[in-house]
Amino acid sequence: MADALQAILELVLQQGLIDEETSGLIRQDVRTNGTDPIRAISMRGRVPSATIYELVAESWQVEYVRKERLVAPPDLARRIPSALLRRRVVLPVADRGDYVVCAVPDLGALQDERLKEALRKAFGRPVRLALADPEELGAALQQAGVEGAPGAEAAPAQDAVVFVAELMRQAYVHRASDIHIEPHASAYRIRFRVDGELQTFTQTLAEPLAMAALSRLKVLAQMDITITREPQDGSLVYELPEAQG
């Protein structure tokens, strides 16, 4: 853990994403609280975790899969054994003829020869593992409805608390002044207002989870959750424990 933290801290320091003082606070978070290094950097430095994972992938000379590419071709997704998905987070994202590209959420998985062999048998050809942001990868698996994927059958009401907490964390990290949850034909879109400009955070939030999250926000803001067709005013204070100190 210490070696990995040092390597990642050196990367983000070189890029000017954090300063030495913040680096010291991150080390303390990891040592005292056992916080995941990248999560600690993201919160303390207010750096999107995807940015950090992309830097790590470049440093380790492996492919990085951005959020917009985390889409599983249906024919490949169906071929991954559900028993494997219950043990490992993995998503096939590209068929390149001679081999299949699969996204995984950590460097340990990239070096897992047993995982590579299991996937090779599933696809009938070699596999190349690429790195993705774990939160983006988990969301892509749920949105794809891949059988056996972690959380694929979770009830929206149970997910809402976790989703709202992560939404608030991401808004803080991105320095957003507003969060827009917008209904569209087949899904909801979330946009953050950053420096006066609206930026898309996700375009494929499923309606059940979106409605559960909106109800959660209404409860926190002391609004009437039964009123859905009239405007309401409400306010809330949301504390992020990781941002304290």
Side-chain angles (χ1 to χ4, degrees):
M1 176 71 78
D3 291 343
L5 174 62
Q6 179 61 31
I8 296 169
L9 283 175
E10 287 177 359
L11 282 175
V12 293
L13 280 165
Q14 289 170 4
Q15 295 294 319
L17 297 176
I18 63 171
D19 55 25
E20 289 290 350
E21 181 180 357
T22 303
S23 176
L25 293 172
I26 291 166
R27 291 177 193 276
Q28 183 178 351
D29 285 345
V30 174
R31 182 175 61 252
T32 304
N33 304 318
T35 308
D36 174 77
I38 291 181
R39 193 177 184 91
I41 294 168
S42 178
M43 290 299 297
R44 287 289 186 180
R46 296 184 75 173
V47 180
S49 56
T51 299
I52 305 169
Y53 280 104
E54 189 166 7
L55 282 174
V56 170
E58 182 179 356
S59 175
W60 264 264
Q61 297 183 329
V62 298
E63 184 176 349
Y64 177 76
V65 185
R66 296 175 183 270
K67 179 167 61 176
E68 58 270 19
R69 289 181 52 219
L70 287 171
V71 179
D75 59 322
L76 294 181
R78 286 193 294 267
R79 297 175 70 175
I80 301 182
S82 58
L84 174 62
L85 283 171
R86 284 193 288 269
R87 300 193 310 270
R88 303 304 302 261
V89 176
V90 58
L91 183 74
V93 294
D95 184 342
R96 294 186 179 160
D98 294 336
Y99 62 92
V100 175
V101 178
C102 291
V104 294
D106 58 77
L107 292 171
L110 291 172
Q111 301 170 339
D112 190 333
E113 295 301 325
R114 293 178 63 184
L115 174 61
K116 291 179 185 178
E117 178 61 16
L119 292 170
R120 185 195 67 77
K121 289 181 179 179
F123 298 126
R125 57 197 138 139
V127 167
R128 291 190 185 177
L129 299 182
L131 189 63
D133 181 325
E135 292 162 359
E136 295 179 353
L137 180 55
L141 277 164
Q142 291 190 36
Q143 289 162 7
V146 178
E147 183 180 354
E153 299 178 357
Q158 296 174 338
D159 289 348
V161 173
V162 174
F163 178 80
V164 168
E166 181 59 22
L167 181 63
M168 293 299 190
R169 188 178 79 84
Q170 291 291 346
Y172 171 81
V173 167
H174 286 80
R175 296 178 167 82
S177 60
D178 301 79
I179 302 172
H180 294 247
I181 303 176
E182 306 165 344
H184 287 268
S186 59
Y188 277 63
R189 176 176 67 178
I190 295 180
R191 294 196 293 172
F192 292 157
R193 188 177 297 280
V194 180
D195 296 329
E197 299 291 331
L198 283 172
Q199 300 179 3
T200 299
F201 176 64
T202 179
Q203 299 213 52
T204 54
L205 178 63
E207 182 176 2
L209 180 54
M211 297 306 294
L214 287 169
S215 292
R216 168 70 175 162
L217 290 167
K218 285 182 177 181
V219 169
L220 292 174
Q222 298 183 335
M223 298 163 66
D224 188 340
I225 64 171
T226 66
I227 298 176
T228 59
R229 297 183 179 275
E230 298 177 14
Q232 295 186 67
D233 289 327
S235 64
L236 63 95
V237 175
Y238 197 97
E239 294 186 2
L240 291 164
E242 298 158 287
Q244 304 302 309

